[in-house]
Amino acid sequence: MHAKDINMPKPYKLILWDLDNTLFDFDKAEEIALQYAMRKHGLTYDPATTLEAFKIVNLRRWEGLEEKRYTKDEVLVGRFDEFFGEGNVDSRALNADYLWSLGEHKALYPEAEGVVRELHARGYIQSIVTNGAKEVQDACYYNSPIVSLIKTVVISEEVGVAKPDPRIFEIACQRSGWLDKGTTLVVGDSLSSDIAGGQAYGVDTCFFNPSGKGHSAKPTYEIRSLPEILDIL
Ligand SMILES: [Mg+2]
């Protein structure tokens, strides 16, 4: 779905990808990692309820990071304190086991490698901007086949600002060696961090919306599958 200029596509040069649930399948890894960490700590994982309940707490914490109400530690460790009740579990150790498993199991979506490879062949500069935990993002990214195709990976934990803060996109552009906002495109699955952040920075945005959920945001483009971006670029 092209929101504007359908007959005159912009000549983009820099693509700033989100990582979780855009290039990499976070949801699948999350389920595996939560089961692993809870079982290791002697906690009962109920396939019918635990994951969904954890996702609610987890999402609220990550939104708190976007809104600067929580530090990264209050997201990562604090979510387990909140979920299990403070003092009931060793939340720091539980989180460490969870992150380790997440890094081990988070993998590229099957179609992501081909898309990144094709855009690289077409001469685009591609970088990643992520709010995820550094340890996890490093593990999954460096184990993936797209390392040589990506210019730089900017992790909020490393640079001290998180999406949707426009400064993280500015850092990504600087590190990518491309500062022209008019030819930069942010691609991601989150309206609150990727799309709002890209818009705050002043660049075009592409909302990856595989479930087709309704919304009132106004991304420049919207796609339901990753290969659709090849028609935009
Ligand atoms: Mg995402």
Side-chain angles (χ1 to χ4, degrees):
M1 195 188 310
H2 298 210
K4 65 181 182 188
D5 294 345
I6 194 160
N7 296 318
M8 293 183 63
K10 276 193 188 172
Y12 294 103
K13 182 66 183 175
L14 173 62
I15 313 302
L16 297 176
W17 290 103
D18 169 51
L19 193 150
D20 287 327
N21 285 340
T22 297
L23 291 178
F24 287 78
D25 188 348
F26 175 85
D27 285 345
K28 200 163 98 187
E30 179 185 38
E31 187 175 3
I32 296 169
L34 189 63
Q35 281 188 43
Y36 164 80
M38 285 179 62
R39 285 173 181 158
K40 186 171 172 186
H41 288 257
L43 300 159
T44 306
Y45 181 95
D46 178 352
T49 60
T50 306
L51 181 63
E52 289 317 306
F54 177 73
K55 275 175 183 270
I56 292 167
V57 172
N58 193 39
L59 182 66
R60 202 160 55 218
R61 290 268 160 174
W62 282 104
E63 284 171 351
L65 181 82
E66 290 171 6
E67 292 157 9
K68 301 188 170 120
R69 285 184 287 109
Y70 290 129
T71 63
K72 198 65 160 274
D73 202 60
E74 285 167 339
V75 175
L76 299 181
V77 178
R79 58 190 170 179
F80 289 110
D81 278 333
E82 183 182 337
F83 192 56
F84 295 109
E86 211 168 338
N88 291 329
V89 292
D90 182 347
S91 293
R92 196 161 293 279
L94 187 64
N95 180 59
D97 288 322
Y98 171 78
L99 291 185
W100 174 82
S101 181
L102 208 50
E104 286 294 300
H105 292 102
K106 197 159 63 184
L108 277 175
Y109 282 119
E111 63 274 33
E113 182 184 350
V115 169
V116 171
R117 206 170 279 289
E118 171 64 20
L119 294 179
H120 185 262
R122 293 188 194 176
Y124 291 96
I125 307 168
Q126 298 177 84
S127 294
I128 291 173
V129 183
T130 173
N131 284 357
K134 176 173 165 44
E135 175 191 350
V136 180
Q137 307 310 58
D138 278 352
C140 70
Y141 172 70
Y142 289 108
N143 279 322
S144 80
I146 62 169
V147 177
S148 64
L149 311 171
I150 297 291
K151 178 87 174 180
T152 187
V153 180
V154 179
I155 303 174
S156 61
E157 210 173 308
E158 251 180 334
V159 297
V161 278
K163 295 184 283 188
D165 190 318
R167 285 175 294 174
I168 195 168
F169 295 102
E170 189 176 0
I171 293 167
C173 289
Q174 284 165 351
R175 286 200 196 165
S176 302
W178 193 261
L179 291 165
D180 179 17
K181 289 185 183 180
T183 53
T184 295
L185 182 68
V186 169
V187 188
D189 73 301
S190 165
L191 292 172
S192 59
S193 62
D194 305 313
I195 305 309
Q199 288 171 340
Y201 181 54
V203 298
D204 281 359
T205 56
C206 179
F207 178 39
F208 176 44
N209 185 13
S211 63
K213 68 180 171 193
H215 62 86
S216 57
K218 296 208 166 18
T220 318
Y221 309 98
E222 180 165 336
I223 55 174
R224 295 215 41 185
S225 78
L226 280 185
E228 284 175 45
I229 201 169
L230 299 174
D231 297 330
I232 294 170
L233 296 171

